[in-house]
Amino acid sequence: MMEGRRISAANPRPCSGRRILAAKKRGRSDGFLNSVKKLQRREISSKPDRSFSITNAQERFRNMRLMEEYDTHDPKGPCSVALPFLTKRTKVIEIVSAQDIIFALAHSGVCAAFSRVTNHRICFLNASPDEVILSLFYNKNNDSVITVSVYASDNFSSLKCRSTRIEYIRRGNPDAGFALFESESLKWPGFVEFDDVNGKVLTYSAQDSIYKVFDLKNYTMLYSISDKDVQEIKISPGIMLLILNRSSSYVPLKILSIEDGTILKDFHHLLHRNKKVDFIEQFNEKLLVKQENENLQILDVRHTGIREVSRTEFLTPSAFIFLYENQLFLTFRNRTVAVWNFRGELVTSFEDHLLWRPDCNTNNTYITSDQDLIISYCKAESDDQWMEGNAGSINISNILTGKCLAKINATNGSPKDEECCSSTGSSKQSCSLMKSTVAEALEDITALFYDEDRNEIYTGNRHGLVHVWSN
């Protein structure tokens, strides 16, 4: 979501929407694009016929081929007078689609919108010459895109949010949007987090240590939390977990209703003295606590029971994705993904889903809305590497079985001859504009998104190019 995505090895986050942090340092550097948390977390439905679901998924992704190529780079920049770094070609770090529009955000802070109808760039979302966009969020409640930006005129110090309706962007009028949360001072370590599941926005103003919760539908403020002892807030369906400053032997915790901020439970969780807390995560009534070199503790906050998982069996992951109605969660560690239940048992290991990057860049992973499939940019099998060179593959796997259902690689992702030679305007045009080979399009993918309505996969790479894979 997400992320934005604020995921790092030191601070794993659940799949709870999208959080964007204000910059700690002024000026423009590689560290300037704050770590952003964006993981897709959606309610899931139970599928009674798993074999039909698997067969359907295999058909859905059969014969996926490279169909289009878009370029986020414009040497003139997004505006007539742009900051120098906005004119540089940089990697794609985030892709979002809404209806027939693809939004691609480059590391430089330039965000471009492309039409799947005309296959041309519609516009840049940067509304002013000094705007650097950090992240974007599609708000399906009112069919708009929210951009989170910083500005040179503000020394890149404060987050600014803007909402723009999709219809305005389609007309090429990205500056027709309006500002959000103008009353909030979102300077470092302030942040804004968009929670799609609960339909809420959480902001933190570090200047006065106040958290505020807004309605994602109309952006009205619902309530605020003023407590200087709050160290972190984690969001789950219907509730928020407040983690307060720890003492040597325990950490104070509060569980609040996400709707009105009512305290539902106030308790202390005992800790091992002088041991660093690796993570504390909330999943409905389950609390996951892990300290350095200690066992994982799974606490039922309703019945106060604790289950422990050996530290040799459960190693601290770099990120989580919670699968809500299945009562399961994904863990990412190094290049591997695993599925666990809340008894601390390993449910699924994936047979062919070795991630391309060891740093768990979840921009390269997509979980479907039914949360039965995971789509990731993966390492190519050793048998294929001699043919594919530096190209990876896009693997589609079943989360509950670990089976690889489909794969796009350099040997099967090429457009058919009739598609390139078609007399229809769009097909002929797309092939003539495509500069990358399939192998090149599968090299160093830096962002991935799956449009479930159109059944298309969008990838971005380090050259700022966006590729469309479709059947």
Side-chain angles (χ1 to χ4, degrees):
M1 113 229 308
M2 13 244 23
E3 61 274 148
R5 240 180 241 196
R6 199 186 65 166
I7 294 179
S8 65
N11 186 18
R13 289 283 299 166
C15 179
S16 61
R18 178 170 304 169
R19 178 176 294 190
I20 303 98
L21 279 163
K24 183 175 182 179
K25 296 179 180 179
R26 296 179 179 179
R28 188 69 183 174
S29 68
D30 286 343
F32 171 74
L33 280 178
N34 317 293
S35 56
V36 172
K37 190 184 72 63
K38 186 203 68 173
L39 284 174
Q40 292 74 22
R41 182 189 73 182
R42 303 186 179 101
E43 296 299 340
I44 61 176
S45 58
S46 299
K47 300 268 185 185
D49 191 342
R50 185 181 298 174
S51 61
F52 174 78
S53 175
I54 291 174
T55 304
N56 182 50
Q58 289 173 325
E59 287 300 316
R60 203 188 326 166
F61 293 98
R62 189 186 302 276
N63 298 323
M64 279 274 187
R65 300 178 185 279
L66 179 61
M67 301 300 292
E68 300 289 346
E69 179 178 85
Y70 307 133
D71 196 347
T72 63
H73 178 249
D74 187 328
K76 299 189 298 291
C79 300
S80 56
V81 183
L83 297 170
F85 55 78
L86 292 177
T87 64
K88 293 182 178 179
R89 180 178 289 280
T90 58
K91 66 182 179 182
V92 177
I93 61 171
E94 195 170 343
I95 298 175
V96 173
S97 77
Q99 299 176 24
D100 54 2
I101 299 177
I102 300 174
F103 300 92
L105 176 63
H107 186 266
S108 61
V110 168
C111 184
F114 301 93
S115 169
R116 282 296 289 124
V117 176
T118 65
N119 290 320
H120 290 297
R121 186 176 66 221
I122 302 171
C123 61
F124 289 106
L125 269 61
N126 304 67
S128 68
D130 69 335
E131 180 182 8
V132 177
I133 298 176
L134 301 182
S135 189
L136 58 154
F137 175 83
Y138 174 54
N139 188 354
K140 62 179 182 290
N141 294 285
N142 51 30
D143 198 27
S144 65
V145 167
I146 299 174
T147 50
V148 183
S149 307
V150 290
Y151 293 81
S153 57
D154 186 38
N155 243 343
F156 307 112
S157 63
S158 301
L159 300 177
K160 306 292 183 183
C161 302
R162 188 175 69 251
S163 173
T164 309
R165 292 186 65 83
I166 295 297
E167 62 183 86
Y168 297 149
I169 295 171
R170 188 178 286 110
R171 295 175 198 161
N173 298 321
D175 53 355
F178 59 91
L180 301 175
F181 320 124
E182 291 183 283
S183 62
E184 306 310 298
S185 176
L186 301 178
K187 296 186 177 182
W188 187 89
F191 63 79
V192 58
E193 178 169 347
F194 300 98
D195 173 26
D196 204 15
V197 173
N198 295 298
K200 301 292 185 291
V201 182
L202 174 67
T203 63
Y204 174 56
S205 173
Q207 184 175 310
D208 43 18
S209 300
I210 292 180
Y211 297 86
K212 291 183 182 179
V213 176
F214 296 81
D215 192 319
L216 191 53
K217 293 180 182 144
N218 53 25
Y219 309 116
T220 56
M221 196 195 86
L222 302 176
Y223 57 91
S224 64
I225 301 168
S226 181
D227 190 336
K228 294 185 183 299
D229 290 330
V230 174
Q231 185 185 59
E232 173 65 297
I233 291 183
K234 306 290 181 78
I235 300 177
S236 290
I239 58 175
M240 290 194 303
L241 173 69
L242 270 60
I243 304 172
L244 282 70
N245 293 323
R246 65 171 286 186
S247 72
S248 59
S249 59
Y250 68 88
V251 57
L253 301 169
K254 292 181 182 180
I255 297 177
L256 276 60
S257 164
I258 191 75
E259 295 302 326
D260 57 14
T262 302
I263 297 177
L264 304 177
K265 191 176 182 67
D266 189 344
F267 62 106
H268 292 171
H269 181 73
L270 296 179
L271 297 175
H272 297 277
R273 292 175 178 269
N274 304 320
K275 289 288 186 76
K276 181 175 75 74
V277 175
D278 286 343
F279 62 81
I280 298 177
E281 298 294 347
Q282 176 78 28
F283 175 95
N284 293 344
E285 72 275 8
K286 303 294 185 183
L287 190 70
L288 276 61
V289 181
K290 177 77 168 64
Q291 287 185 260
E292 188 177 30
N293 298 322
E294 296 293 340
N295 294 340
L296 169 68
Q297 294 182 322
I298 303 176
L299 171 69
D300 190 317
V301 298
R302 184 177 299 173
H303 305 293
T304 65
I306 295 182
R307 183 186 298 268
E308 291 205 358
V309 184
S310 169
R311 65 178 183 270
T312 59
E313 295 178 26
F314 187 91
L315 302 176
T316 300
S318 55
F320 294 91
I321 298 180
F322 289 154
L323 311 176
Y324 281 86
E325 290 186 12
N326 275 3
Q327 294 291 306
L328 300 169
F329 62 96
L330 292 170
T331 58
F332 295 79
R333 179 179 170 86
N334 296 329
R335 287 189 166 94
T336 62
V337 187
V339 184
W340 301 77
N341 63 27
F342 285 89
R343 295 184 297 276
E345 299 165 339
L346 181 65
V347 176
T348 307
S349 293
F350 292 89
E351 64 178 12
D352 184 6
H353 211 92
L354 188 65
L355 301 179
W356 180 265
R357 286 183 172 79
D359 61 355
C360 177
N361 182 351
T362 44
N363 279 342
N364 287 343
T365 293
Y366 185 94
I367 307 297
T368 56
S369 57
D370 286 335
Q371 293 198 340
D372 57 345
L373 301 177
I374 179 172
I375 305 171
S376 302
Y377 180 48
C378 295
K379 296 283 285 185
E381 288 183 319
S382 56
D383 294 343
D384 299 329
Q385 283 182 338
W386 70 273
M387 299 172 62
E388 301 181 9
N390 293 324
S393 63
I394 300 169
N395 293 18
I396 299 96
S397 298
N398 184 281
I399 288 175
L400 297 179
T401 67
K403 298 289 185 184
C404 183
L405 305 180
K407 185 188 297 188
I408 303 171
N409 57 33
T411 59
N412 67 10
S414 299
K416 295 179 180 178
D417 291 340
E418 59 265 28
E419 290 168 343
C420 281
C421 301
S422 170
S423 60
T424 59
S426 61
S427 296
K428 189 173 183 180
Q429 179 188 44
S430 66
C431 290
S432 64
L433 293 179
M434 198 123 56
K435 297 178 181 177
S436 303
T437 64
V438 172
E440 288 170 341
L442 288 170
E443 286 184 11
D444 207 359
I445 288 175
T446 53
L448 181 150
F449 186 90
Y450 174 53
D451 188 318
E452 301 186 43
D453 294 328
R454 300 180 66 92
N455 191 38
E456 295 181 334
I457 296 174
Y458 308 133
T459 59
N461 65 15
R462 64 187 177 93
H463 301 296
L465 300 176
V466 176
H467 295 103
V468 177
W469 309 84
S470 176
N471 55 11

